[in-house]
Amino acid sequence: MSVTGRPWGTESVPATSTRSMSRPGVQTILPNTTVNDTAAIPNISINNTGLLPTYSQNLDAQLEYFTASAGVLSVGWFRKNIKNYIINEVSVVEPGDDNGFDGAYAGYVLNTQDNGGKGLFEGLEISGRQPLKPYLKALPQAVQGVEVFVNYTKNYKGEAPNRTGLIVKPTVANNFYDWNASYGVSYATPARSFYVQARTVIYPSGYRTAEGASTTDLRRQIEARHQRWDFTMRYRINRSYAVELTGSNIFEDPSLKTYLSGRLLTRRDFGASYVLSFTANLDALRIPFLDRD
């Protein structure tokens, strides 16, 4: 028996070095200042129109083990050196005429972004994927196409400059979590004309503001643990056409809920979204007067 050309029980240790680029989202570089006076603690969000792309030099090594039942277990290590690291800085507007707002908005939470030099990140990733067909042979073939998968990522090093240039551990406001995990299940009919997958991602709680972000309030905001569920459903009409429905955050997890000294500070509900799409493979489409034998 083989899996993707490899006999079961074998191991592979691929290692790669790559360079990648990531541009800031359009909505983050359009000129915009938003003042929220109605929140529990009022806040201001300012877009930085001068944000530059980030460049990452990546090193990855992975050990893969292929099982007799067509599964795969992998353990990987990664290291990323990031240039023009984007800082999602959360601070507090200080009192005084030189606070950037002519003395107004003292005590408001200030959300900004900036390029902050270089960042270094290292971590480990464990993942597994296992079809259940070998264990469901007693059941009808129509229900044997079930597969489970799991992933766990541990970020044991995170170093990046803050707005003042000090090298610090990024906060969850910078999308840096000590760990995250995901798992899910999928099913496909024997001819793969119908496919469905349900998956979830778990993010732990963590600090959203940096230590010493404010000289007047030393308390740090904590983002609550959150978990979101997504799904994909696809029906292949024939070899050329397919219809797909994708659902994101279907249980409407409030993925931005922060606390200050145990008191709920902010809650942002992103809601669920659904996308229905139609795909066509036009390779087999013959157009009169253009396609000739």
Side-chain angles (χ1 to χ4, degrees):
M1 183 177 188
S2 64
V3 182
T4 62
R6 303 179 188 270
W8 69 268
T10 60
E11 302 174 357
S12 102
V13 190
T16 59
S17 175
T18 58
R19 188 171 186 264
S20 58
M21 180 189 74
S22 176
R23 296 184 182 275
V26 175
Q27 295 301 321
T28 65
I29 58 176
L30 293 176
N32 186 50
T33 298
T34 303
V35 179
N36 187 344
D37 295 301
T38 61
I41 293 184
N43 58 83
I44 305 172
S45 298
I46 301 177
N47 283 356
N48 182 353
T49 59
L51 279 180
L52 300 174
T54 60
Y55 297 88
S56 178
Q57 189 69 43
N58 312 306
L59 289 176
D60 297 271
Q62 186 169 276
L63 173 66
E64 297 176 321
Y65 179 80
F66 298 88
T67 69
S69 51
V72 59
L73 176 66
S74 66
V75 179
W77 169 85
F78 60 86
R79 177 187 177 96
K80 300 179 184 294
N81 280 290
I82 300 178
K83 181 181 178 182
N84 289 341
Y85 179 77
I86 294 179
I87 301 169
N88 294 309
E89 186 71 23
V90 181
S91 58
V92 176
V93 179
E94 303 290 345
D97 294 337
D98 58 349
N99 66 356
F101 299 96
D102 296 326
Y105 306 125
Y108 280 44
V109 173
L110 178 63
N111 302 289
T112 59
Q113 285 189 319
D114 201 359
N115 293 107
K118 296 181 179 180
L120 173 63
F121 301 90
E122 292 182 5
L124 297 172
E125 184 177 24
I126 302 173
S127 62
R129 182 176 294 273
Q130 179 60 60
L132 299 185
K133 184 175 181 178
Y135 310 103
L136 302 176
K137 292 182 178 180
L139 299 178
Q141 186 179 10
V143 298
Q144 292 181 13
V146 179
E147 184 176 87
V148 294
F149 53 91
V150 63
N151 177 275
Y152 174 80
T153 301
K154 173 64 177 178
N155 297 296
Y156 61 79
K157 176 179 284 188
E159 298 176 350
N162 62 14
R163 193 168 57 177
T164 63
L166 295 176
I167 302 299
V168 298
K169 176 182 175 180
T171 65
V172 298
N174 298 87
N175 294 319
F176 179 83
Y177 296 86
D178 289 333
W179 62 269
N180 65 74
S182 63
Y183 60 89
V185 60
S186 65
Y187 167 77
T189 56
R192 302 194 68 84
S193 59
F194 176 75
Y195 173 83
V196 62
Q197 181 195 88
R199 55 197 177 274
T200 184
V201 182
I202 305 170
Y203 296 96
S205 62
Y207 288 113
R208 188 163 181 84
T209 53
E211 190 173 2
S214 170
T215 58
T216 59
D217 191 343
L218 300 180
R219 296 174 299 174
R220 301 177 68 182
Q221 294 181 26
I222 297 177
E223 181 177 301
R225 175 189 181 277
H226 57 277
Q227 179 176 0
R228 58 175 291 163
W229 282 89
D230 307 321
F231 78 87
T232 299
M233 186 180 300
R234 183 186 309 115
Y235 176 69
R236 188 168 299 281
I237 302 171
N238 52 41
R239 297 178 62 181
S240 300
Y241 306 108
V243 178
E244 181 174 294
L245 175 65
T246 301
S248 301
N249 196 27
I250 59 175
F251 295 119
E252 300 189 1
D253 167 63
S255 56
L256 184 53
K257 188 162 58 173
T258 62
Y259 291 84
L260 186 65
S261 299
R263 179 172 62 92
L264 181 64
L265 181 63
T266 62
R267 175 188 173 113
R268 184 177 179 185
D269 296 319
F270 292 93
S273 64
Y274 301 89
V275 177
L276 180 63
S277 59
F278 174 80
T279 59
N281 180 359
L282 302 182
D283 289 345
L285 182 65
R286 298 182 63 85
I287 302 177
F289 310 110
L290 295 180
D291 293 322
R292 297 183 178 180
D293 294 334

